Amino acid sequence: DGGITQSPKYLFRKEGQNVTLSCEQNLNHDAMYWYRQDPGQGLRLIYYSQIVNDFQKGDIAEGYSVSREKKESFPLTVTSAQKNPTAFYLCASIDQTGGPDTQYFGPGTRLTVL
Amino acid sequence: AQTVTQSQPEMSVQEAETVTLSCTYDTSESDYYLFWYKQPPSRQMILVIRQEAYKQQNATENRFSVNFQKAAKSFSLKISDSQLGDAAMYFCAYRSGLIQGAQKLVFGQGTRLTINP
C-alpha cells in the first residue's frame, strides 16, 4: 500500500538531547512537509522540501533541522535549542506533478520531553 | 499573510441530524484552495473535502458538503445524517494557488465535534 509512515509513534527525550523523527513515503511525491501540533491548536509548518537536497524554513523552524537526501525520506531533528519540543509532529507529502495536489499526512509522532 | 479562523471551539449534534461548522479566512489572493480535514482520536489527519476558489460550484463528498462564499471569505462544512464515526476535530485549511511557492497549508484552530447518540 502506498502511504506515509512515521516512526516512532511515541518518543521521549531528556532535556538537552537531540532526537530524530522519521518520515518515509512511497507515493513518489516530490514535496514533503513537517508540521507541529500543540494541544487544542491547528498545525504549524516547521520545514518543507520541494525537491531532493533542498529544503526551506517554515513558520516555526527555530530549534529544528531537516535533511532530504532521498525523495522518499524527510527526517526531522529536534535539537536541544528547541525550548518547548513537547508536541505532536505530523509529516505530509504532496504530488506536484499534475496530480490532485492534496497534502496527505502520516500518522504522527508524539514527542514528550521528560 | 493568510489567516484561517474557526470561531466554534466545540460543537455537538444528535446522531442523524445535520451540523454546520464555520470557517472564515483572510487573503489577498484570488487563486487558492480550501480544505476540511478531520482528525479523529487516532490523530491521523484525513482529508474530508476540498474546494478550488475558481469553482463557483460547492464541493460535495457523500454526506459532506461546503458552502463557499468567496466574497465573504467564508467556507463552512455541512455534515448531513451525522454518524458516531464523525466525532473528531475538524480543521479548516487554506493553501495558496501560486505555482511557485511552499504549497503549505494554513490551518484554523479546529472545532471539536461531538455526536450524541
Side-chain angles (χ1 to χ4, degrees):
Chain A
D1 283 359
I4 304 173
T5 57
Q6 291 185 241
S7 61
K9 187 173 182 179
Y10 299 98
L11 185 57
F12 298 90
R13 190 195 91 172
K14 294 181 180 179
E15 285 196 25
Q17 283 184 335
N18 293 353
V19 290
T20 297
L21 283 59
S22 169
C23 177
E24 304 277 335
Q25 55 98 359
N26 60 6
L27 300 167
N28 201 35
H29 288 173
D30 293 304
M32 298 184 73
Y33 302 78
W34 274 106
Y35 292 90
R36 170 181 170 141
Q37 185 179 24
D38 291 287
Q41 296 189 31
L43 283 64
R44 293 181 290 167
L45 181 66
I46 305 172
Y47 266 98
Y48 66 98
S49 167
Q50 294 179 290
I51 196 170
V52 174
N53 293 323
D54 185 56
F55 48 83
Q56 305 295 329
K57 292 182 179 180
D59 301 317
I60 54 166
E62 185 176 351
Y64 299 97
S65 66
V66 293
S67 63
R68 186 83 187 279
E69 297 177 2
K70 299 187 299 181
K71 189 175 185 178
E72 302 79 20
S73 178
F74 190 41
L76 173 74
T77 296
V78 184
T79 75
S80 57
Q82 170 50 236
K83 298 306 179 187
N84 186 22
T86 294
F88 188 63
Y89 292 86
L90 284 156
C91 179
S93 70
I94 188 172
D95 180 5
Q96 293 182 300
T97 60
D101 70 351
T102 296
Q103 285 196 17
Y104 293 96
F105 288 82
T109 293
R110 173 70 182 175
L111 173 63
T112 303
V113 173
L114 302 173
Chain B
Q2 294 82 19
T3 59
V4 177
T5 302
Q6 293 178 249
S7 59
Q8 306 155 316
E10 296 184 356
M11 292 280 286
S12 63
V13 64
Q14 290 295 125
E15 192 176 3
E17 297 292 309
T18 296
V19 63
T20 299
L21 308 184
S22 301
C23 172
T24 59
Y25 58 95
D26 188 27
T27 183
S28 59
E29 298 177 334
S30 59
D31 185 22
Y32 51 86
Y33 301 86
L34 295 165
F35 305 84
W36 279 98
Y37 280 88
K38 169 185 176 180
Q39 189 179 44
S42 68
R43 306 200 74 173
Q44 174 81 51
M45 293 288 283
I46 302 166
L47 176 68
V48 175
I49 199 165
R50 79 178 237 154
Q51 173 81 42
E52 291 87 349
Y54 63 85
K55 289 186 177 179
Q56 291 187 336
Q57 186 173 6
N58 289 325
T60 62
E61 286 289 341
N62 301 312
R63 296 183 295 108
F64 299 88
S65 62
V66 298
N67 184 6
F68 174 48
Q69 300 291 325
K70 191 171 185 178
K73 296 180 182 175
S74 171
F75 183 61
S76 61
L77 174 70
K78 185 172 83 171
I79 306 174
S80 303
D81 186 25
S82 298
Q83 300 176 0
L84 294 178
D86 294 334
M89 281 288 286
Y90 285 82
F91 291 97
C92 179
Y94 169 101
R95 199 188 85 214
S96 170
L98 293 175
I99 295 175
Q100 301 299 327
Q103 304 280 309
K104 73 173 187 179
L105 290 169
V106 178
F107 285 86
Q109 300 289 82
T111 296
R112 182 172 301 282
L113 178 64
T114 302
I115 310 297
N116 299 315

